[in-house]
Amino acid sequence: RNVTDLTIERVKVRAPFNAPNTDAIDPGPGTNFWIHDCDIDTGDDDIVIKQGGTNILIENNTIRHGHGISIGSETVAGVHNMLVRHCTFDGTDNGLRIKSMRGAGGLVENVRYTDIQMTNVQNAIVLQLDYRDSNRPDFKGDPSKVPAIHNIRFDHITVEGSRRVGIIHGLPDSVITGITFSRG
């Protein structure tokens, strides 16, 4: 069932940083999401577009601990036209993350991240098509559902104290394309 014209604003979420399965904001699938001015501190995905979505704006959020702002792991419905801007991250495991896996994949395209500040983030940017879900270690899914990532732009990203600036893992039959890093 799709959600249309969803606004989530000024929400504060707290869960222990070591608590598994504590996604804070997990809408979708749907169209026209606006998630803004939230303060989130959890042990799992802070904001996640898991099932898919189109025309998504995520802005002015503060993220502490957790797995950051994520797309996936199920991307069968696809994610199209998403903008993440004016967000800060402090102490998260991941900052900006797109994760998917064979058997539950779809197309993630036309995503832009801009004016992002990250401090003490373990993995600032993660693009991963070979993701393994620890809750479903034997997952096979539909072999025709191969994930893809195209046309992702990162600009005005500041990272301080990160263990890794980025991890990019594609698949032999699904090459990640159109990734742009710029200052402007």
Side-chain angles (χ1 to χ4, degrees), residues 33-64:
F33 297 162
W34 183 25
I35 303 168
H36 68 96
D37 296 293
C38 297
D39 185 344
I40 303 170
D41 190 347
T42 69
D44 207 330
D45 291 322
D46 297 288
I47 298 173
V48 59
I49 306 303
K50 189 175 286 187
Q51 298 294 326
T54 301
N55 300 334
I56 302 162
L57 175 58
I58 300 172
E59 64 181 346
N60 301 320
N61 297 291
T62 300
I63 310 296
R64 311 167 205 274

Side-chain angles (χ1 to χ4, degrees), residues 101-104 136 138-145:
M101 56 190 167
R102 189 179 303 279
R136 300 179 295 168
D138 298 324
F139 177 80
K140 298 289 184 229
D142 179 344
S144 70
K145 305 296 182 193

